[in-house]
Amino acid sequence: MFKHYDIIVVGAGHAGCEAAAAAANLGSSVLLITMDMTKIAQMSCNPAMGGIAKGQIVREIDALGGYSGIVSDRTAIQFRMLNRSKGPAVWSPRTQNDRALFTLEWRKMLENTPNLDFFQDMVKGLIVKNDKVCGVVTGMGLEIKCKALVLTNGTFLNGVIHVGEKQFGGGRIGEKAASGITESLIQLGFTRGRMKTGTPPRLDGRSIDYSKMEEQKGDENPGKFSFSDETSALKEQRSCHITYTNSRVHDILQSGFDKSPMFTGRIQGIGPRYCPSIEDKINRFADKDRHQLFVEPEGWDTVEVYLNGFSTSLPEEVQFEALKQISGLERVKMFRPGYAIEYDYFPPDQLSNTLQTRRIENLYFAGQINGTTGYEEAACQGLIAGINAHLKLNKAQPFVLSRSQAYIGVLIDDLITKGTEEPYRMFTSRAEFRILMRQDNCDIRLTPLSYEIGLADKQRYHRVKDKVESTNKIIDYFKNASLDPADINPVLEAAGSEVIRQKVKAFSILSRPNIGIRNMSEGNQGIKAMLETFDEEAIEQAEVQMKYEGYIRKEKENAEKQTKLEDLVLGDKLNYHSINSLSIEAREKLTKFMPQTIGQASRISGVNPSDISILMVHLGR
């Protein structure tokens, strides 16, 4: 019935979809196994993609040839560039999406991907011989053989759903949990942990009084995620709305704490620190009179609404009574209550930087199985796991992104060198080289690397080359063009900037605060005519590079210093316990994490600079 596949991907969430697409597009024969074909890339929680740091990840996925950016653009109902009031290092794109269309679009793209087959069943065990994975066993008792396996099980591994005092097995509401895989992995020697996440109630938009809320529109000139020509920016958008909890809401919620699984000890798993439940918020921040809530539509043609910020596992009657005290929700109807879910994960310090497990060859983990939270974090892991599974089978060099190359590199490095005991979420603050890793230059940074391994196509590659060439032409023009005081002083005065008394290079004027490239084009016909020959992407790229030239240069120098440490390879056969001059803690931590390079070793908690010096001496450095 089944052929021998190169790669099997278990789970069709965001990680599984990206893993399957990447491996298949690279040329591997792939089987994607999921328990429900109608739930491919389901948006289990909020109907949105991107956000702070997450938007950078989606653009990086797109630049590498993944599908998340394209699907997000095609199903978007609103686009916003967050943090526009701050520097470009933290600008972060975000889309509100049509939940149903998102799933349909992902399925359509996967079904049109060559080399990719599907099967609907539950995987309950792994087939492993001589510490190498070679297949899976399904719930129907089928044995399907493969050369490599990518596990992307999301919240389904022994998942338990909590609503007040009720609890029942499930990976999502209305869907059964997955059993067997955890037990197989434990038998193979893997360490398991337990985590928790939650989701808010879904509301009937017809029962909401939006006039009592603050409207939150999309950007006036919306952008998009994908660097390709396969998508276009939105011409029409749907608004979100903002409302707030209040002291009456908090009192009602607190009345249900004695039935909350969070406070009664029924939930043992650790929840996400940066996306707490509403009961956790009012318990931890008792001094706050209110908390902001985002009322988000679930699509173009549905009245279903997602109440972002009201994640809860309290009894449904408590949820309902509290909701009715919120401005605009006095007559609210609830489609379904919020709930919490506990699930198994496997601490990611058991992985290498390719996301292959260190214990079993050709076995890869991606997504929430590694202790992360969020669609974007899962999707980028799936992409890297799928790429590396293919490369490993074809005896090619692994594909590893450094901390100075991509947010994806930061995420994976954090997971394998630090591990995680709570759901990991990406932030711009986690990236020490975020000025280099902006959302606007993901294609310049990553598409050439993807083209080298055969994932990004030639059209994408040449588009990047054209963008770089156009950017350089604009920068050269600004460095060589001189501006006359009579032309540019009106612009400077309007911006509150000091006027000039003699001709000055355009580059030096642009470096001033409050002066933008578009301002300058208004005061100089030469600049205006020159810019008309370039597209918006190249203009924005040139402006950022010129305005932040000094910062970018300094960060590149720091990145180069770190790269030298990344080039010092430790390998996976070093006996740290035999290096007596290392501290006891360093020996224990290095043995546990088995870093591949000195750079990775330096980021492990408990490994001190003196330990790094000893390792460098040991390597003959």
Side-chain angles (χ1 to χ4, degrees), residues 336-350:
R336 68 175 186 270
Y339 62 89
I341 181 167
E342 274 188 294
Y343 56 94
D344 293 335
Y345 85 104
F346 289 80
D349 54 30
Q350 302 172 96

Side-chain angles (χ1 to χ4, degrees), residues 169-388:
R172 276 190 295 252
I173 198 78
E175 298 178 61
K176 65 181 180 179
S179 59
I181 288 180
T182 290
E183 293 71 23
S184 289
L185 292 174
I186 290 173
Q187 286 180 358
L188 291 168
F190 288 93
T191 301
R192 176 197 66 166
R194 197 85 170 142
M195 281 188 177
K196 166 255 175 189
T197 190
T199 192
R202 305 310 199 269
L203 310 178
D204 185 340
R206 297 169 298 182
S207 65
I208 296 174
D209 185 352
Y210 292 106
S211 68
K212 294 183 177 181
M213 301 177 179
E214 174 189 338
E215 186 177 12
Q216 187 182 52
K217 295 183 177 182
D219 287 351
E220 188 174 342
N221 297 303
K224 63 192 187 83
F225 278 120
S226 183
F227 292 97
S228 73
D229 294 324
E230 295 184 47
T231 65
S232 55
L234 286 167
K235 292 181 173 58
E236 178 187 353
Q237 302 186 71
R238 284 201 66 177
S239 292
C240 296
H241 290 79
I242 296 173
T243 188
Y244 297 88
T245 63
N246 53 57
S247 57
R248 297 189 307 280
V249 174
H250 296 181
D251 289 343
I252 293 171
L253 292 172
Q254 285 176 316
S255 73
F257 279 9
D258 61 332
K259 295 181 180 179
S260 167
M262 276 186 56
F263 298 118
T264 58
R266 284 192 298 278
I267 290 180
Q268 299 296 319
I270 299 173
R273 178 189 301 263
Y274 302 104
C275 188
S277 64
I278 189 64
E279 54 263 43
D280 198 22
K281 286 180 190 175
I282 63 176
N283 184 54
R284 283 166 52 190
F285 308 107
D287 58 318
K288 301 289 184 184
D289 295 328
R290 66 178 192 169
H291 294 285
Q292 192 175 50
L293 302 173
F294 296 90
V295 183
E296 302 177 346
E298 297 250 348
W300 290 114
D301 302 312
T302 179
V303 296
E304 188 170 355
V305 167
Y306 178 91
L307 189 60
N308 196 340
F310 204 87
S311 174
T312 180
S313 58
L314 286 167
E316 53 267 54
E317 64 272 13
V318 177
Q319 296 183 35
F320 185 56
E321 289 304 316
L323 286 171
K324 290 193 296 182
Q325 301 302 316
I326 295 171
S327 181
L329 302 183
E330 291 85 356
R331 298 183 179 182
V332 73
K333 295 179 181 178
M334 191 164 63
F335 279 170
R336 68 175 186 270
Y339 62 89
I341 181 167
E342 274 188 294
Y343 56 94
D344 293 335
Y345 85 104
F346 289 80
D349 54 30
Q350 302 172 96
L351 304 175
S352 72
N353 55 9
T354 63
L355 297 182
Q356 181 183 227
T357 67
R358 296 204 305 263
R359 188 173 292 275
I360 302 298
E361 189 177 356
N362 295 345
L363 174 62
Y364 296 78
F365 292 171
Q368 284 174 289
I369 192 173
N370 289 336
T372 59
T373 181
Y375 311 141
E376 304 83 359
E377 289 90 342
C380 73
Q381 291 173 70
L383 180 72
I384 297 301
I387 289 172
N388 279 309

Side-chain angles (χ1 to χ4, degrees), residues 74-141:
R74 288 177 177 171
T75 62
I77 63 175
Q78 187 194 84
F79 180 93
R80 293 180 68 218
M81 184 67 77
L82 308 183
N83 279 343
R84 268 289 191 185
S85 61
K86 300 179 181 179
V90 293
W91 293 352
S92 302
R94 183 184 189 271
T95 54
Q96 200 69 34
N97 293 84
D98 187 307
R99 185 189 299 276
L101 283 180
F102 190 90
T103 295
L104 289 172
E105 186 63 31
W106 251 114
R107 179 166 177 169
K108 188 192 304 181
M109 291 197 71
L110 291 175
E111 288 179 349
N112 287 316
T113 299
N115 306 315
L116 178 55
D117 293 342
F118 305 85
F119 191 66
Q120 183 169 299
D121 199 352
M122 181 178 78
V123 170
K124 68 176 186 179
L126 282 60
I127 303 171
V128 175
K129 293 180 181 177
N130 300 320
D131 293 331
K132 180 183 286 190
V133 73
C134 50
V136 298
V137 179
T138 75
M140 289 192 285

Side-chain angles (χ1 to χ4, degrees), residues 57-66 225-227 383 441-451 455-457 460 464:
I57 289 177
V58 177
R59 296 211 95 192
E60 288 179 353
I61 291 170
D62 181 77
L64 288 167
F225 278 120
S226 183
F227 292 97
L383 180 72
N441 69 354
C442 297
D443 53 342
I444 295 173
R445 288 186 277 121
L446 301 176
T447 299
L449 302 179
S450 183
Y451 179 69
L455 185 55
D457 61 29
R460 286 258 190 158
V464 171

